[in-house]
Amino acid sequence: MSKIAIINPNMSVGFTDKIRDQARTIAFPHSDIIALNPSFGPDSIEGYYDEAFASVGLLSVIREIDPTGIDGYVVACFDDTGVDAARCLTAAPVMGLCEGALRFAQALAGRYAIVTPMAVSVRPLEHLVRKYGADRDCVVRAAGVRTLDFEGSQAARAYEALLLAAQKSLREDDAEAIVLGCAGMTDIADRLKADLGVPVIDGVQAAIKMVEGMASLKLSTSKHSTYGYPPAKPYHGLFAGFEPVTG
């Protein structure tokens, strides 16, 4: 059995519950799925400031649970918040939603679009797309709604905005597939796929499947150089006692 930890770096318990339910629906029977939030952080992650703020909470969770025998981590934020830092803190594979979704999209379509809730996320996601080598084939669009609108009374309006933005990208950007640019959209992927008639890639599902595959192959994050454990040194103030656990 593989133990997969899905960490939502923001404080939206509703999003975490939604992600957990979706993960357990699509995960292999032999996967033990846990999903959790940090004890501090932003309510949602929208842009660079929220991303930096949320990264510390993400790392605090990994530091706490890694000794319990986690076989793989999914960082349940489409900004791939703190993923590189997390890979330095654990030997288990770590996958963010954007990277996982793009790897799937590259195999399914010649051109594809990420549809994200807010315009403030467009440039950060364009930078990620370039980092992952997908900038020639991927465009990023904003639906013009808030991330938290995909919960509660605003969910229907948020879906309509997402649908319109996706249709516009198929029409104007020559996109052949749509990538959902927010973890909170994970429960509407099948509906959007039916409405659009093209592949719709949910980063939560994609990242889980990639981590499950790496865990089943007993692969680990290389500590040879790039993702080596941080050097031992004291941390001060709020971060006293936050020295990395190096197994």
Side-chain angles (χ1 to χ4, degrees):
M1 176 175 285
S2 298
K3 189 175 183 180
I4 309 297
I6 305 172
I7 305 173
N8 173 14
N10 68 48
M11 299 301 292
S12 172
V13 176
F15 272 21
T16 303
D17 291 343
K18 184 188 298 187
I19 292 163
R20 180 189 297 109
D21 292 344
Q22 181 70 5
R24 288 177 175 170
T25 298
I26 61 98
F28 294 130
H30 61 265
S31 293
D32 178 17
I33 301 293
I34 62 172
L36 60 165
N37 301 88
S39 60
F40 59 91
D43 288 339
S44 61
I45 299 174
E46 297 164 336
Y48 287 124
Y49 182 88
D50 289 340
E51 183 179 350
F53 185 22
S55 294
V56 178
L58 166 76
L59 297 177
S60 72
V61 173
I62 294 176
R63 184 181 184 277
E64 179 180 351
I65 68 174
D66 203 58
T68 67
I70 306 298
D71 296 299
Y73 291 92
V74 171
V75 178
C77 173
F78 204 83
D79 290 349
D80 287 3
T81 298
V83 165
D84 286 325
R87 287 172 176 163
C88 297
L89 197 57
T90 177
V94 180
M95 182 60 59
L97 304 193
C98 183
E99 183 174 7
L102 288 179
R103 302 306 183 203
F104 271 60
Q106 287 168 325
L108 296 173
R111 186 164 174 80
Y112 37 92
I114 296 171
V115 182
T116 189
M118 296 182 66
V120 70
S121 297
V122 170
R123 289 298 289 166
L125 290 182
E126 287 177 340
H127 293 162
L128 274 182
V129 167
R130 189 175 304 116
K131 173 183 176 180
Y132 298 139
D135 49 306
R136 292 181 59 184
D137 303 316
C138 182
V139 64
V140 183
R141 280 191 178 271
V145 293
R146 291 201 64 210
T147 299
L148 294 177
D149 287 344
F150 286 92
E151 290 190 90
S153 62
Q154 298 298 314
R157 182 182 69 86
Y159 179 81
E160 289 303 317
L162 171 66
L163 177 62
L164 288 174
Q167 289 171 331
K168 186 173 184 179
S169 199
L170 295 176
R171 184 173 62 250
E172 298 182 8
D173 302 322
D174 297 323
E176 302 166 8
I178 299 296
V179 175
L180 298 179
C182 174
M185 299 174 179
T186 186
D187 59 333
I188 56 179
D190 288 343
R191 179 184 175 189
L192 190 64
K193 180 169 63 176
D195 285 345
L196 294 175
V198 299
V200 173
I201 300 103
D202 165 37
V204 173
Q205 298 179 26
I208 288 168
K209 286 304 178 185
M210 292 195 73
V211 167
E212 282 186 317
M214 287 186 282
S216 68
L217 294 172
K218 306 299 182 184
L219 295 173
S220 61
T221 299
S222 173
K223 297 302 173 184
H224 183 69
S225 180
T226 304
Y227 295 126
Y229 289 115
K233 56 187 173 184
Y235 287 70
H236 304 283
L238 290 174
F239 303 104
F242 198 74
E243 291 80 5
V245 176
T246 60

